Amino acid sequence: MGYKHIEVKQVAGFIGAEIGGVDLSRSLSEEQVQEIRKALLKWKVLFFRGQNIDHAAQVEFTSRFGEVTFAHPLGEPEPVLGFPQIKPVDRKLYEQQYGFRTGGPWHTDVTAAINPPAASILRAVNVPSFGGDTQWSNLVAAYEGLSAPLRSLADTLKAEHL
């Protein structure tokens, strides 16, 4: 699975790759976009280190992969003024709302929507010297790792967002 227009470096066993050879502050070629999409489908989570982009560049980059949706519809704070696609995540606001610093419950982004987005794009603006971790899970690998009887059971289950 070669790449000619980007660099891809695997960072974990089942999830995650670091992408190099691109500058997200500039327009990407169609070939780069296609290879990034290919890497995303394989690795599920992509990291673009050392990028310096603003809100407009983030929305522009995101738009290369499909329609950009409104920021997460639930919770505070409101989307960024002028950029309704971007919801700021601020640890201090989280602490004020929930009274603690760590995580919160496991969740998936906007899956309750009738037509949920295919992916979420996070951009770190202020990175703390420690903490601030975000973790991801590869549910495809988890499902494929189930025994045949458990996979058969899972195939019969339904879920509903309330």
Side-chain angles (χ1 to χ4, degrees):
M1 187 178 258
Y3 298 92
K4 295 180 182 176
H5 305 283
I6 64 172
E7 300 163 10
V8 180
K9 178 183 169 191
Q10 178 181 352
V11 296
F14 290 101
I15 192 168
E18 187 173 320
I19 305 298
V22 296
D23 179 353
L24 300 184
S25 69
R26 308 187 84 152
S27 184
L28 301 178
S29 71
E30 188 57 35
E31 293 82 9
Q32 288 174 309
V33 171
Q34 291 306 316
E35 289 187 1
I36 291 169
R37 182 185 311 276
K38 179 175 151 182
L40 178 61
L41 291 173
K42 178 174 176 68
W43 297 109
K44 313 301 185 220
V45 176
L46 303 179
F47 303 95
F48 298 82
R49 299 199 188 277
Q51 302 291 327
N52 187 15
I53 62 172
D54 59 13
H55 297 320
Q58 181 177 351
V59 172
E60 167 63 26
F61 171 68
T62 305
S63 71
R64 297 296 302 274
F65 298 91
E67 180 182 351
V68 183
T69 62
F70 183 80
H72 197 293
L74 302 174
E76 298 294 329
E78 292 294 319
V80 173
L81 186 62
F83 296 93
Q85 310 90 335
I86 296 178
K87 176 186 176 182
V89 177
D90 185 326
R91 186 170 99 185
K92 290 180 185 124
L93 293 173
Y94 189 88
E95 289 173 21
Q96 288 172 354
Q97 186 171 0
Y98 298 106
F100 55 90
R101 298 175 110 175
T102 59
W106 184 93
H107 72 278
T108 57
D109 286 345
V110 201
T111 56
I114 292 171
N115 187 17
S120 293
I121 295 182
L122 305 177
R123 174 176 52 117
V125 176
N126 298 311
V127 179
S129 58
F130 67 92
D133 300 321
T134 297
Q135 297 177 350
W136 292 272
S137 59
N138 182 335
L139 297 181
V140 172
Y143 174 80
E144 290 175 349
L146 293 174
S147 66
L150 278 177
R151 196 178 310 164
S152 292
L153 172 63
D155 290 343
T156 67
L157 301 176
K158 304 283 183 221
E160 181 177 337
H161 285 277
L162 299 175

